[in-house]
Amino acid sequence: MDWLRRFMYGRYGQDEFSIALILLSMIVSIICIFIPVPWINLVSLIPFGYYIFRTFSKNIAARQKENRWFLSWSMPIVRWMQNRIKMLKQRKHYRFFRCKGCGQTLRVPKGRGKIELTCPKCRTKMVKKS
Ligand SMILES: [Zn+2]
C-alpha cells in the first residue's frame, strides 16, 4: 500500500463533488439501460472520467474551487430534501402549514381542532384546523 500512498501524494483525492459525480455516472448508466441506442451507455463515462481526473489532479486549488461551487448550489437542495424527509417522518403527530405572510413553514400538533396560529417570524395570524 506504500506505492499507493506515494502515488496519491500531492493529488486531490475525494470530496463531495466527486461522490456526486460517481452517483451521476451510476444514475446515467441505469437510465441508459432503457434507451435503445447502441453505445449510449458510454455517456455515463463522462462524469466518471471527470471523477478520475479530479481525484488524481495535482491542481488542488482549482478542485477546491469546483467543490465550493458545487456545494453552493447543492447544499440548499440537500437541506430542502432533508426538511421534506423530516416532515414526512413527523406527519403522524404534526401538521405543517405555510405562512401566507413570509412563506415560513409552521408545525402544529395534530388533533387540536380549530386553532389560531401566529407566525413566529412575521407575526401573521391564521386560523387553521389541526
Ligand atoms: Zn410568517
Side-chain angles (χ1 to χ4, degrees):
M1 286 314 264
D2 202 47
W3 63 270
L4 185 66
R5 201 176 307 121
R6 240 177 296 126
F7 178 71
M8 286 308 290
Y9 181 77
R11 294 178 196 271
Y12 186 64
Q14 313 275 316
D15 61 10
E16 292 86 354
F17 190 28
S18 29
I19 294 163
L21 285 169
I22 286 287
L23 288 175
L24 179 67
S25 176
M26 283 162 59
I27 291 164
V28 169
S29 66
I30 290 166
I31 292 169
C32 286
I33 293 169
F34 303 102
I35 304 172
V37 175
W39 303 103
I40 189 80
N41 205 22
L42 292 178
V43 173
S44 70
L45 290 178
I46 296 167
F48 187 74
Y50 194 46
Y51 161 79
I52 297 289
F53 162 76
R54 291 188 81 251
T55 301
F56 299 117
S57 170
K58 287 186 170 177
N59 189 348
I60 289 169
R63 303 292 83 81
Q64 284 173 336
K65 197 177 160 200
E66 285 170 355
N67 196 46
R68 272 197 301 277
W69 165 82
F70 170 72
L71 290 175
S72 74
W73 63 264
S74 67
M75 279 323 282
I77 299 170
V78 169
R79 237 173 271 130
W80 183 86
M81 290 197 313
Q82 284 172 337
N83 271 336
R84 296 298 117 168
I85 292 165
K86 207 159 82 186
M87 282 164 70
L88 217 61
K89 282 180 178 168
Q90 295 180 346
R91 75 184 187 283
K92 218 173 166 186
H93 305 290
Y94 294 97
R95 288 204 65 177
F96 295 89
F97 299 105
R98 188 165 288 277
C99 171
K100 285 180 222 120
C102 66
Q104 172 85 25
T105 304
L106 307 176
R107 190 183 75 167
V108 216
K110 253 184 176 176
R112 297 272 170 89
K114 233 180 189 178
I115 48 168
E116 191 189 56
L117 304 170
T118 306
C119 173
K121 201 171 164 190
C122 70
R123 300 277 147 210
T124 301
K125 287 188 190 302
M126 297 164 271
V127 175
K128 296 279 182 187
K129 215 180 141 249
S130 80

